[in-house]
Amino acid sequence: MMITNCSSPPPSQEGPQCPPESSSQVFAPAEHEVHQQDVIQETPLESVEDTLKSLHMHRNKHFKRLSSQWQSTFRGNIALSPTEKRHSAKSFRRRCKLLGDEQPLCVTTNNQRQRYVTKDGKCRVNLGHIKDKSRFISDIFTTLVDLKYLWFLLVFTACYILTWMSFGAIYFLDAWLRDDIAHAHDSQWQACFENVDSYLAALLLSLETQRTIGYGTRRVTANCPEGVVLLMVQSITGSIIDAVMVGCMFVKISRPQQRAQTLIFSKHCVICERDEKLCLLFRIGDLRESHMVDAKIRAKLIKSRQTKEGEFIPLEQTEINLGYDTGGDRLLLVEPQTIAHIINDSSPFWEVGAKRLKRETLEIIVILEGIVEASGMTCQARTSYTQDEILWGHRFASCISLEKGAFLVDCSAFDKTFEVEMSPLSARNRSHAKDEESIF
């Protein structure tokens, strides 16, 4: 069946008219449908309308599993404007990227799928249209810590400079109101702020006060009570800024995000047999001699699906059991570990075989958590595997050998795999085949 993004033609036209915006999507027409188009061009007007109606009914049945919102946009019997057609085509392509079981219907020029998590652990999810941004101001400490270093240094510098300039302006205004500026060089004048004859001198007084430098040439005297109050307010304000900014800088520097750079994951997942059970395997390792304390591993399957009621669930997360019930998810990460997920009837890969794996659109998110031994802070490393990075019928090569009374880890063999002979059947079909053999 040929699936197009065309509107229904009026009876006076020869065939469906496609907008140029939909040229980025290519669909393979079937032979029987080409024959139907030839029949439409040679039949009378009434038969043409009946044939078009039957084609629309067949098309609606074919897209019955898609959501109602998408159907209302792409029905062939609704005339759309060019802007609406472009929006509909974009919506169609986005849904095609999310729906794994509908991937054969969507053949676009860009075959690369958007990752949920990149290989280096960065999440590709952007939050937009946040109206209540005051929540970030209420949690100002976390907001400052989450800033990039360039913006954080800019805020760090601006806090001190603006404070110095503000209090310098207040000192200069008070000195001008008390006429200290006009009598700056009069030794008989009882000044409130000594040696303050310009705004620059007042700025230096503010800087020396807040940073407790005190060169002795400029100072606040006891001739005015407001000067003492200003000195107290600036001292307290400076202490608060020091506590917040230095605290943010310390937390930002000591965050164990860079520790995750020395936690490595294998480039591929493999599916092979282990102890006569079909297993999904991947490998993790630590490059540092200071080990992770209480290391834990877990995994999630990210896949979009359509429910039986017609609801579309984008990016649904399904837990992948890595030994939570047996304690296999708690690791002593001294040497590279090969993590195994047994594919049983409770596994999301129970019905996935070698051929179906190539047609699937899925992503496996692996999360490794542990406590950094040096700082005692929790560190998290992430990676992801798409269906193209899962090798069926492969096994990891050994990377550990015994030399001079110690175990030697060959990091160059960390990602090496080799192919093994294995049936392309899924775990479910294997179980049914074993049951039939046991019966006969």
Side-chain angles (χ1 to χ4, degrees):
M1 175 178 178
M2 181 174 69
I3 305 171
T4 60
N5 197 16
C6 308
S7 59
S8 300
S12 60
Q13 295 181 0
E14 295 182 358
Q17 301 295 325
C18 298
E21 291 80 8
S22 62
S23 60
S24 60
Q25 298 188 5
V26 183
F27 302 92
E31 295 181 359
H32 70 277
E33 192 168 286
V34 177
H35 177 69
Q36 288 179 357
Q37 291 180 355
D38 296 336
V39 173
I40 291 174
Q41 296 178 358
E42 296 176 359
T43 53
L45 178 61
E46 293 79 10
S47 61
V48 170
E49 293 178 353
D50 296 337
T51 308
L52 288 175
K53 290 181 180 179
S54 62
L55 288 176
H56 292 314
M57 293 177 62
H58 184 65
R59 182 181 304 170
N60 291 335
K61 291 180 180 179
H62 191 75
F63 286 102
K64 187 176 181 180
R65 290 193 301 165
L66 300 182
S67 62
S68 58
Q69 182 180 2
W70 184 86
Q71 287 179 354
S72 63
T73 307
F74 282 90
R75 283 176 182 169
N77 55 357
I78 298 179
L80 299 176
S81 64
T83 305
E84 291 175 342
K85 290 175 182 177
R86 285 195 297 268
H87 178 72
S88 301
K90 292 180 180 179
S91 177
F92 177 69
R93 288 193 295 269
R94 291 171 184 170
R95 185 171 293 275
C96 290
K97 291 181 180 180
L98 289 174
L99 271 176
D101 53 351
E102 298 294 336
Q103 189 178 10
L105 298 177
C106 313
V107 183
T108 59
T109 55
N110 185 11
N111 294 326
Q112 294 183 354
R113 178 181 177 273
Q114 176 63 49
R115 284 182 177 269
Y116 186 78
V117 175
T118 60
K119 295 295 288 184
D120 56 355
K122 296 180 180 179
C123 297
R124 290 294 188 180
V125 178
N126 297 325
L127 301 177
H129 305 289
I130 301 176
K131 296 181 180 180
D132 190 10
K133 295 185 178 181
S134 60
R135 298 174 181 267
F136 298 97
I137 304 299
S138 60
D139 188 14
I140 188 64
F141 186 84
T142 306
T143 302
L144 292 175
V145 172
D146 289 340
L147 287 176
K148 294 183 179 180
Y149 273 100
L150 180 61
W151 291 105
F152 179 78
L153 292 177
L154 180 62
V155 173
F156 185 89
T157 306
C159 286
Y160 284 103
I161 292 179
L162 290 177
T163 307
W164 297 336
M165 295 180 66
S166 299
F167 279 97
I170 296 174
Y171 288 142
F172 177 76
L173 179 62
D174 195 8
W176 179 74
L177 292 176
R178 283 186 164 275
D179 208 18
D180 289 345
I181 296 177
H183 300 82
H185 304 287
D186 188 358
S187 58
Q188 303 296 326
W189 179 260
Q190 294 183 351
C192 179
F193 305 98
E194 289 186 357
N195 296 324
V196 177
D197 56 353
S198 63
Y199 175 74
L200 184 59
L203 180 61
L204 289 175
L205 174 62
S206 174
L207 175 61
E208 294 172 8
T209 300
Q210 186 167 336
R211 302 311 304 163
T212 64
I213 297 175
Y215 291 112
T217 56
R218 279 167 291 274
R219 64 186 182 92
V220 180
T221 64
N223 297 326
C224 57
E226 67 272 15
V228 179
V229 173
L230 283 175
L231 184 63
M232 295 169 59
V233 171
Q234 187 174 9
S235 299
I236 295 174
T237 303
S239 299
I240 294 175
I241 295 176
D242 290 341
V244 174
M245 291 292 106
V246 174
C248 290
M249 179 66 74
F250 175 78
V251 173
K252 195 172 184 63
I253 293 176
S254 61
R255 292 176 76 179
Q257 291 181 342
Q258 300 302 323
R259 178 64 175 89
Q261 302 298 325
T262 53
L263 299 173
I264 56 176
F265 300 86
S266 59
K267 295 181 180 179
H268 296 90
C269 279
V270 299
I271 295 180
C272 63
E273 292 180 345
R274 175 179 281 189
D275 296 331
E276 298 182 351
K277 296 180 181 179
L278 198 62
C279 297
L280 174 71
L281 307 175
F282 59 90
R283 183 175 281 177
I284 61 175
D286 190 359
L287 299 179
R288 287 191 179 274
E289 294 183 357
S290 58
H291 308 301
M292 300 286 292
V293 179
D294 194 20
K296 302 175 184 177
I297 188 74
R298 56 193 177 99
K300 294 280 187 179
L301 175 65
I302 307 296
K303 183 182 178 182
S304 304
R305 71 179 181 94
Q306 196 91 12
T307 63
K308 295 180 180 180
E309 294 78 14
E311 179 187 3
F312 176 70
I313 304 178
L315 305 177
E316 184 183 38
Q317 298 184 11
T318 306
E319 186 71 22
I320 298 177
N321 189 0
L322 299 179
Y324 177 78
D325 49 349
T326 60
D329 60 332
R330 296 178 178 271
L331 309 174
L332 178 61
L333 198 58
V334 178
E335 80 283 352
Q337 299 283 329
T338 301
I339 310 300
H341 163 64
I342 300 175
I343 303 177
N344 49 26
D345 55 356
S346 61
S347 170
F349 300 96
W350 174 245
E351 299 180 356
V352 177
K355 294 182 180 179
R356 182 176 173 179
L357 181 62
K358 297 179 180 179
R359 300 192 306 265
E360 289 284 343
T361 302
L362 54 87
E363 187 171 350
I364 299 174
I365 311 299
V366 179
I367 305 171
L368 175 62
E369 292 180 342
I371 300 174
V372 181
E373 189 178 23
S375 61
M377 302 184 70
T378 303
C379 174
Q380 185 180 98
R382 298 182 296 264
T383 191
S384 68
Y385 301 97
T386 60
Q387 70 278 358
D388 298 329
E389 297 169 344
I390 303 176
L391 305 178
W392 185 279
H394 283 69
R395 188 174 296 162
F396 282 108
S398 177
C399 61
I400 300 178
S401 60
L402 180 60
E403 289 189 5
K404 298 181 180 179
F407 293 98
L408 177 64
V409 177
D410 185 9
C411 295
S412 61
F414 182 81
D415 295 313
K416 288 184 178 180
T417 62
F418 60 93
E419 191 172 0
V420 295
E421 294 184 1
M422 195 178 69
S423 171
L425 297 178
S426 64
R428 179 182 180 181
N429 294 336
R430 289 165 180 261
S431 178
H432 290 342
K434 289 182 179 180
D435 293 341
E436 292 177 358
E437 289 179 1
S438 62
I439 293 175
F440 293 103

